[in-house]
Amino acid sequence: MPATHSRSFRDGKTLAGELRAAMGRVGVLGVTYPDGYCDELIAKYGKDGVPYPHILSILGEPRIRGHFFYNRMLQRTGPFLDYGCGTGDNIRQLLRDGFSREQITGFDLTWESINLGFDLYRDRDAIRALFVVNDMFSFGEETFDTVYSGSVIHVIADEDELCGYLNNVWRVLRLGGILFGSTLGLEDGDTCSPDNQGPPRVMPRADLIRHLYAAGFTGPVLVTRPHEAHHPGDKKCVFEFCAKKVDE
């Protein structure tokens, strides 16, 4: 299982402030809210907090749309899996961009983040059928043409679990299928200070490439994007990656 994350916000941010900001971003996309709705959400999530606070902080700004492979992804017509779909932000972006809803599946281990997305987008009845939640990854072999992994790898602390995650992707992809996604990392030779509120896994570039090859993928491409530094000397970056399944 992914390592337990803090449910507290960093850099002085608060649940109320981040909920209001998220509602503002989602509102730009056409979602409207009844009077008092924000207060209802603050009360609902105030007791236990939200899973992965960073997800709320970026909700309404789907990261998939800026990925270097995304435009090519939209030209693909086969089944698509968002493996570790979180709030479902990226799935909604696919729908807005005209990708066939019949080909979309979002998978996660719990409903927590997905329900947060439903509460902010107010679309539970409209898209709930696109999501699969289970503590077991039980899709059949060669089910999908494309798998997306958005900010998942860096929350998997256990080495065996990471290998299992990537092996699952290999198993469910058809030959010629594509895995693409993003994760926090480090350029080779860089280091980062311990961060109790940060991700449990921040891999150097070479380690990420090694894990992709070990799972059976070929030709991995990595593009480095900047990451907002949370303290002086923070050298973390974002790796966008893409790799292909070929014959073993």
Side-chain angles (χ1 to χ4, degrees):
M1 298 292 289
T4 301
H5 264 222
S6 169
R7 289 177 178 249
S8 61
F9 292 89
R10 62 193 310 161
D11 302 329
K13 295 178 179 179
T14 65
L15 173 65
E18 292 306 291
L19 279 169
R20 292 190 180 97
M23 289 173 67
R25 293 190 297 270
V26 174
V28 172
L29 300 173
V31 178
T32 59
Y33 301 101
D35 291 342
Y37 191 72
C38 185
D39 291 334
E40 292 178 16
L41 292 186
I42 293 171
K44 177 177 180 177
Y45 290 101
K47 180 179 179 181
D48 297 324
V50 296
Y52 304 105
H54 182 65
I55 293 180
L56 176 58
S57 297
I58 63 172
L59 194 147
E61 297 178 339
R63 299 299 174 88
I64 195 173
R65 66 185 176 189
H67 195 284
F68 70 86
F69 186 73
Y70 184 59
N71 286 337
R72 281 177 284 171
M73 155 63 211
L74 291 175
Q75 304 307 310
R76 300 171 70 83
T77 57
F80 167 94
L81 173 68
D82 187 345
Y83 188 2
C85 61
T87 59
D89 237 15
N90 298 305
I91 285 173
R92 293 177 177 90
Q93 186 64 44
L94 282 172
L95 292 170
R96 286 192 292 271
D97 287 333
F99 195 81
S100 172
R101 114 182 237 125
E102 288 74 22
Q103 301 287 17
I104 297 174
T105 301
F107 176 84
D108 219 318
L109 297 174
T110 76
W111 284 104
E112 279 191 296
S113 293
I114 298 172
N115 283 332
L116 177 64
F118 288 153
D119 283 343
L120 269 295
Y121 282 94
R122 305 184 68 208
D123 59 359
R124 185 185 310 272
D125 292 341
I127 67 169
R128 187 187 184 284
L130 302 184
F131 296 91
V132 175
V133 172
N134 201 316
D135 58 4
M136 297 292 293
F137 188 78
S138 56
F139 297 104
E141 293 185 11
E142 300 189 3
T143 301
F144 299 99
D145 280 351
T146 313
V147 174
Y148 178 68
S149 171
S151 299
V152 176
I153 288 175
H154 61 239
V155 303
I156 303 177
D158 183 80
E159 188 73 8
D160 289 339
E161 184 180 352
L162 175 60
C163 292
Y165 177 86
L166 293 174
N167 289 338
N168 282 342
V169 176
W170 169 269
R171 180 175 60 81
V172 301
L173 274 174
R174 298 168 179 171
L175 289 179
I178 297 292
L179 163 66
F180 76 110
S182 61
T183 185
L184 287 178
L186 291 166
E187 292 291 1
D188 294 337
D190 284 344
T191 59
C192 63
S193 302
D195 183 354
N196 291 333
Q197 291 183 295
R201 177 183 294 274
V202 183
M203 284 195 295
R205 172 187 289 266
D207 280 1
L208 177 56
I209 291 173
R210 175 175 59 82
H211 275 84
L212 291 171
Y213 273 122
F217 293 98
T218 189
V221 176
L222 270 67
V223 173
T224 304
R225 305 293 190 194
H227 170 67
E228 179 184 358
H230 292 293
H231 54 79
D234 185 351
K235 295 183 178 181
K236 290 191 291 292
C237 61
V238 176
F239 289 133
E240 292 181 355
F241 58 87
C242 180
K244 190 173 185 179
K245 176 176 179 176
V246 296
D247 288 312
E248 297 184 75

